[in-house]
Amino acid sequence: MATIKNVAVVGDSSFPAEATVKAVDYASLPCLEEALRGQDAVVSAMAFEAIQEQKNLVNAAAKAGVRRIIPSEYGNDTLNPKLATVPIYQPKIEVREQCEQRAAQNPSFSWTTVQNASFLGPDWTLDFIVDVKQRKCDVKDGGDVLFCATTYSDIAQAVVGILTHLDETANRPVRISSINTTQNEIIGIAKELGAVENWSITYSKTEEREAEARRRWAEGDHSEEVIAMFINRAFIGQGWGGYFPKLDNELLGIKGLERDGLKDIVKLAMER
C-alpha cells in the first residue's frame, strides 16, 4: 500500500513549532515550485475567494515532483451535471480539470478531491442549515430532502485516509458524510432539547431561489446572499449532488455519527 510522508498544507492556520512555514507568491510559478520541491503531497485549504489561485499551485506541484494534491474543493459533487452549470462552482471545476490534465501528462502526479456536501458543527455551519439558537429556519423544498453533512474532524480524517490509501483514491473524488439528515430532523431535535416555541419559520423552493440567483448573478450581483442561494440549491435540491448514496467512509477510516451525535452538536449550538 502506497503512503505519504512529506505533506505541504496550503492555507491560513496556526502551526506547531516543528512545522516549516514558507511565505510564497501564488502568482509566481517558480516561487511555488521551489517551496513544494521535496514534498510528497499538497493539501490545499484555500478559501472560496482564492480557489482560482490554485491553478499555479497545481502546475507547480506537478513540476516539483509532488505525488498527490488535494485541492480545496470540500463540498458538493462538482461532477454532478446540474451543479456544473452553477457559476460559483466553475473555479473548483476548472482546478479539478487542470489536475486531470497534469495527471494525464505525468503518471507520477495524481489528485484527489474531497466531497463532503454540507459542513456540520455547532457554529455557523449549522446556522446555515437551521439556526437552532435563534430558532430561525428557512425550510427549503419541504424540509425532508436528505443531504449529507460532515464534521471538520471527519473531513480531516478523510485527508489522512487519502494519504494512507494513495492507490485506492488516485485521480478521483472521495465522497464522505458524518450523517445523512434533513432540516426537519434538525428542527425536531432542537424541539426535543427544549426549543419548542417561538420559532420563526419561512418556506422556499430551491428551484425558485436558483432562478433568482442566476438572474442576479448575471446582473453583477455576486453577494453572499446570492452565493447562499446557489449553495442551498446544491446541497438541498433533489438530485443536485448533496446526497451521496455510496460513500468512501470505510476506506478512509471515517466512523461518522449516530443520531445522538447529531443531537450533541445541536445541543452545543443552542448553548453557545
Side-chain angles (χ1 to χ4, degrees):
M1 180 186 298
T3 60
I4 284 292
K5 294 181 179 179
N6 300 317
V7 183
V9 179
V10 181
D12 294 332
S13 186
S14 298
F15 300 98
E18 62 269 22
T20 300
V21 180
K22 299 180 180 180
V24 297
D25 177 3
Y26 285 101
S28 170
L29 190 60
C31 178
L32 287 170
E33 185 178 345
E34 176 61 29
L36 295 178
R37 190 167 288 112
Q39 300 299 317
D40 292 321
V42 173
V43 180
S44 176
M46 285 185 171
F48 172 80
E49 297 81 4
I51 293 297
Q52 291 276 23
E53 299 294 330
Q54 292 182 110
K55 290 187 175 181
N56 271 349
L57 187 65
V58 173
N59 289 336
K63 283 191 170 187
V66 170
R67 296 167 58 194
R68 177 65 51 86
I69 186 169
I70 303 175
S72 185
E73 180 160 316
Y74 316 105
N76 296 89
D77 181 4
T78 55
L79 292 173
N80 184 291
K82 293 181 179 179
L83 201 67
T85 68
V86 177
I88 66 169
Y89 293 100
Q90 295 306 313
K92 290 185 176 183
I93 292 171
E94 290 172 8
V95 170
R96 190 200 70 236
E97 289 176 342
Q98 187 175 13
C99 288
E100 293 172 343
Q101 293 168 4
R102 295 296 172 267
Q105 296 165 353
N106 180 3
S108 66
F109 176 77
S110 59
W111 60 273
T112 309
T113 54
V114 177
Q115 297 178 355
N116 54 270
S118 175
F119 292 89
L120 178 64
D123 51 19
W124 67 270
T125 58
L126 185 61
D127 293 345
F128 191 78
I129 304 167
V130 178
D131 187 341
V132 295
K133 184 174 180 60
Q134 300 298 326
R135 303 186 187 188
K136 294 170 55 179
C137 182
D138 180 53
V139 175
K140 299 166 183 71
D141 296 350
D144 289 322
V145 178
L146 196 65
F147 58 85
C148 296
T150 312
T151 63
Y152 298 121
S153 59
D154 279 344
I155 294 171
Q157 178 57 44
V159 172
V160 173
I162 290 166
L163 299 180
T164 52
H165 295 84
L166 291 182
D167 295 338
E168 299 95 323
T169 61
N171 301 323
R172 71 175 182 93
V174 293
R175 297 184 172 95
I176 63 173
S177 177
S178 298
I179 192 167
N180 300 332
T181 187
T182 68
Q183 286 186 294
N184 283 341
E185 180 179 31
I186 293 171
I187 293 172
I189 289 174
K191 290 182 176 180
E192 287 177 23
L193 293 169
V196 179
E197 300 177 344
N198 301 319
W199 278 85
S200 175
I201 302 289
T202 56
Y203 297 88
S204 66
K205 295 181 179 179
T206 59
E207 182 178 7
E208 294 175 356
R209 291 297 179 91
E210 177 208 349
E212 180 184 351
R214 287 184 184 273
R215 176 184 59 77
R216 290 171 60 176
W217 187 274
E219 294 171 351
D221 182 357
H222 298 176
S223 63
E224 289 185 4
E225 182 183 7
V226 170
I227 291 171
M229 291 180 186
F230 282 130
I231 293 174
N232 280 316
R233 181 61 161 158
F235 83 87
I236 290 183
Q238 192 78 47
W240 276 74
Y243 170 72
F244 312 134
K246 184 178 180 181
L247 298 172
D248 291 292
N249 283 14
E250 184 176 355
L251 171 66
L252 302 176
I254 294 171
K255 296 180 180 179
L257 296 173
E258 300 295 337
R259 193 174 188 275
D260 282 346
L262 177 58
K263 192 172 182 178
D264 289 340
I265 289 174
V266 172
K267 186 173 185 291
L268 285 172
M270 292 170 62
E271 294 172 347
R272 75 181 190 275

